[in-house]
Amino acid sequence: MSTAADSVMELTRHPESSPINAPYRADERTARKSQRTESSFLDTIVGRRGSLRSILSQVEAVAGTNTTLLITGETGTGKEVIARAIHELSPRRNRNLVKVNCAAMPAGLLESELFGHERGAFTGAINSHVGRFALADRGTLFLDEIGDMPLELQPKLLRVLQEREFEAVGSTRTTRVDVRVVAATNQDLKQMVRDREFREDLYYRLNAFPIYLPPLRERKADIPELVEYFVQQFAASMDKTIETIPEETMRALVRHPWPGNIRELQNHIARGVILSNDGIFEPGPLESYEPLEPEISNPTLEEKVRREILAACQRANWKLGGPRGAAARLGLKRTTLFYKMKRLGITPPADNFQN
């Protein structure tokens, strides 16, 4: 299955002849095809309207340089896809694109993954290990969820960015590398810098060329094309033939706010293809969506406290205790935070309640 769940614009060899009977799309697809005078990697990206068009122009402009990039946007907006596009359009395209999720492993293991380690460097290190920076030499290293990199590891990353050298864990030998770093986050790094949760010097080093990816609810013009592509993709994988997407169905999909962005859209389309018969795309009902609370022009002190607690809980992924939990971020005892949350009627989402 494609990695489209992580993208706002899926990389694909989009078929020129579509099995979907979509009259509102046919003329647009024909015109777009006739306008293409040359193929490029960016032509494989589905959804090329509005703000995305200017983003792709930025990608083309910066891809040929060695500039470090910081890609920001909500979860599911396509940060990894843009990182891949930058690599594929760069002179480094024939070398490795190495990916690291900084939120997926603890600090000690992350350091070893990035820089490698020598045999015997720590308990359990029975063999030496080549790190991701070495694997990405003369290529591109994609650091996803960079906001979750532990503070104690950030100076070592800063050194590699500035000096292009590092030492593996347990080694005294300096290794020099030529790596282009592309970082991504769905967090507000500026706020994290103000909260002393992210190094200011590292932030400015990473933010040499920022690219912001808008959420899908701000790119409604792209939804029909994305729906069409995903329907084709899943129908083919399930050995189904879907010839029609009813206009009423498409209008409902375009109106939906898609808080989960492309990942939510993809999952909904997959379920819809499973349920569809007789060549007609008939998805199930869309999940209800509770909009964010409206801004209060003159909030009370209690509302300000409530907002501050909510923001800290969300940045900590609703983990209340621990050194990176919401209580520590607010400078409160865990029991005090519990009391304030109860008094203000703040409860964690159901899937985070165990925290």
Side-chain angles (χ1 to χ4, degrees), residues 16-317:
E16 295 297 345
S17 58
S18 168
I20 303 300
N21 178 18
Y24 50 87
R25 300 286 304 138
D27 292 340
E28 296 172 7
R29 287 169 61 84
T30 302
R32 188 168 63 251
K33 179 181 177 182
S34 65
Q35 291 170 0
R36 291 179 181 169
T37 57
E38 60 179 329
S39 63
S40 74
F41 184 83
L42 294 183
D43 288 334
T44 66
I45 293 179
V46 177
R48 301 171 55 81
R49 297 169 176 271
S51 58
L52 183 59
R53 186 178 304 168
S54 64
I55 291 170
L56 298 182
S57 297
Q58 294 178 52
V59 169
E60 286 186 295
V62 76
T65 72
N66 286 320
T67 303
T68 301
L69 291 98
L70 178 63
I71 306 171
T72 60
E74 295 179 7
T75 298
T77 50
K79 296 183 286 294
E80 182 176 336
V81 175
I82 290 296
R84 195 185 318 157
I86 290 165
H87 174 75
E88 292 292 339
L89 293 173
S90 77
R92 300 171 180 265
R93 69 178 69 89
N94 294 323
R95 308 295 295 188
N96 291 333
L97 169 61
V98 179
K99 306 170 189 176
V100 180
N101 188 325
C102 299
M105 54 192 75
L109 182 56
L110 180 58
E111 181 178 4
S112 173
E113 279 298 308
L114 289 175
F115 307 117
H117 66 253
E118 295 294 324
R119 179 180 179 182
F122 50 83
T123 302
I126 58 176
N127 295 305
S128 59
H129 173 70
V130 178
R132 303 294 179 92
F133 266 100
L135 292 174
D137 191 25
R138 292 189 288 170
T140 305
L141 180 65
F142 176 52
L143 297 177
D144 199 9
E145 306 292 352
I146 190 67
D148 288 295
M149 175 171 284
L151 272 170
E152 60 268 25
L153 192 53
Q154 292 178 23
K156 298 183 179 181
L157 174 59
L158 180 63
R159 181 193 173 199
V160 181
L161 293 175
Q162 294 181 160
E163 308 296 335
R164 297 183 179 273
E165 63 182 31
F166 65 90
E167 287 85 37
V169 179
S171 174
T172 58
R173 181 171 60 87
T174 298
T175 301
R176 294 194 60 82
V177 288
D178 174 17
V179 175
R180 200 239 189 109
V181 171
V182 178
T185 183
N186 60 3
Q187 301 187 60
D188 185 350
L189 291 190
K190 283 186 178 180
Q191 184 60 49
M192 293 182 69
V193 168
R194 289 192 287 268
D195 293 341
R196 301 182 183 274
E197 296 175 349
F198 199 86
R199 287 182 63 103
E200 184 177 23
D201 48 5
L202 178 58
Y203 167 71
Y204 286 114
R205 186 71 185 187
L206 292 170
N207 202 42
F209 194 96
I211 294 179
Y212 168 69
L213 300 184
L216 190 56
R217 60 183 173 274
E218 296 176 10
R219 299 181 52 235
K220 291 185 178 295
D222 290 327
I223 291 177
E225 185 177 3
L226 289 163
V227 170
E228 181 183 340
Y229 165 68
F230 284 131
V231 168
Q232 293 181 58
Q233 182 190 49
F234 287 115
S237 67
M238 299 175 192
D239 197 24
K240 284 191 170 186
T241 298
I242 295 182
E243 300 173 341
T244 303
I245 302 176
E247 292 187 7
E248 182 179 349
T249 297
M250 185 64 79
R251 284 196 296 268
L253 295 173
V254 171
R255 287 195 303 266
H256 190 69
W258 301 111
N261 293 299
I262 228 28
R263 186 174 300 121
E264 182 186 2
L265 174 64
Q266 184 197 32
N267 291 338
H268 183 75
I269 298 300
R271 292 193 296 270
V273 171
I274 293 171
L275 297 171
S276 298
N277 296 296
D278 301 324
I280 301 174
F281 179 62
E282 297 177 335
L286 289 162
E287 295 183 11
S288 60
Y289 172 69
E290 185 176 342
L292 297 175
E293 295 180 5
E295 288 290 327
I296 300 175
S297 56
N298 294 300
T300 63
L301 176 60
E302 184 175 275
E303 181 60 30
K304 289 181 179 179
V305 172
R306 189 174 191 277
R307 288 182 183 179
E308 186 175 356
I309 291 176
L310 275 172
C313 289
Q314 289 165 356
R315 287 202 299 270
N317 291 321

